[in-house]
Amino acid sequence: MFDFEVFRRSTCTAQLGVLFMRKFLSLAVICAFVASAATSVRADVLLSWNTVGNAGTEPSEPSVSNLAGIVAADLTVGPGVTPAGNGNRLGGSGWFNAGDTVAGATLAEAIAGNDYISFTVTPTAGNAFTATSFDFIWDHSSTGPSAVTLRSSFDGFAADLGTLTGLPAANQTVFSSIAISGLSNIAAATTFRLYGYGGTAPTGTAGFDTINGGTDPNVIFNGTVSPTAVPEPSTVALLAAAGIGGVFLRRNRRKAAKA
């Protein structure tokens, strides 16, 4: 038997539910947008290092700063490079290996010889990072590597993130910069290697350098950090719609059963 009163109440309830759902979804979308915007901050210094005071024989250099959400990390000289005495520097000799191109070692030869300085960017639990640039002061002797290429473990060190050539010798003040793209919202630890090449003799030296008494970092990795748990606005809307729709469906079924 048709119960008009039950039908009327169900219809009113459904209409109210639709109005409520529209308002709730609008609020949910706005909140998600605000949360997303809050995490889209300007590029900042994720990690930095200062090699001032080094003897040049150090195999690694601890970071002097790390942004919240990023674990402190060391710069580490690759196994193909031999740390060599040179004040305020992290690097060494051995960038040019036996059999390398006499006119200047190539990137392929540097990769084969493990001629690099590396560091690892590790986001803390619940965070991800986006890389934007790598800034540093690179110094080399007349026969040391005058070119560098940055690669990462994100793709197994397969692709170049950036390359600089013709870097000046005897440089302790001028920064070089590699802009980074394509590495966004990475939640896993990622290792970066800066390969040095273009040297012409095994005794040639190179590395990150700075002037005596320098207090500012001379190696800087820039980017942004954002939480990994912020849902997309569309996800929030779908979840809200599913939840509210389920509530009204159950209520209407119970009322129909009683009728």
Side-chain angles (χ1 to χ4, degrees), residues 209-250:
D209 210 338
T210 189
I211 59 175
N212 284 324
T215 57
D216 294 329
N218 59 310
V219 184
I220 304 168
F221 185 77
N222 301 299
T224 61
V225 176
S226 59
T228 57
V230 176
E232 293 294 327
S234 57
T235 303
V236 174
L238 287 174
L239 290 175
I244 296 172
V247 170
F248 285 108
L249 180 60
R250 287 193 296 271

Side-chain angles (χ1 to χ4, degrees), residues 7 15 29 63 76 80 112 115 118-119 121 154 167 196 231 238 243-244:
F7 175 77
Q15 290 174 339
V29 170
S63 55
T76 303
D115 303 328
S118 68
F119 59 94
V121 181
F154 181 76
L167 298 175
L238 287 174
I244 296 172

Side-chain angles (χ1 to χ4, degrees), residues 40-112:
S40 301
V41 296
R42 64 178 178 80
D44 210 336
V45 176
L46 300 189
L47 288 163
S48 68
W49 298 265
N50 188 344
T51 63
V52 69
N54 281 7
T57 55
E58 295 83 358
S60 63
E61 180 75 26
S63 55
V64 295
S65 74
N66 55 292
L67 192 67
I70 298 295
V71 178
D74 289 353
L75 292 171
T76 303
V77 176
V81 179
T82 302
N86 203 312
N88 301 317
R89 180 188 288 180
L90 179 75
S93 61
W95 299 90
F96 184 94
N97 306 302
D100 282 358
T101 303
V102 176
T106 65
L107 173 59
E109 290 167 343
I111 293 172

Side-chain angles (χ1 to χ4, degrees), residues 4 16 50 88 91 159 163 175 203 217 219:
F4 179 78
L16 288 173
N50 188 344
N88 301 317
T163 293
F175 272 87
T203 54
V219 184

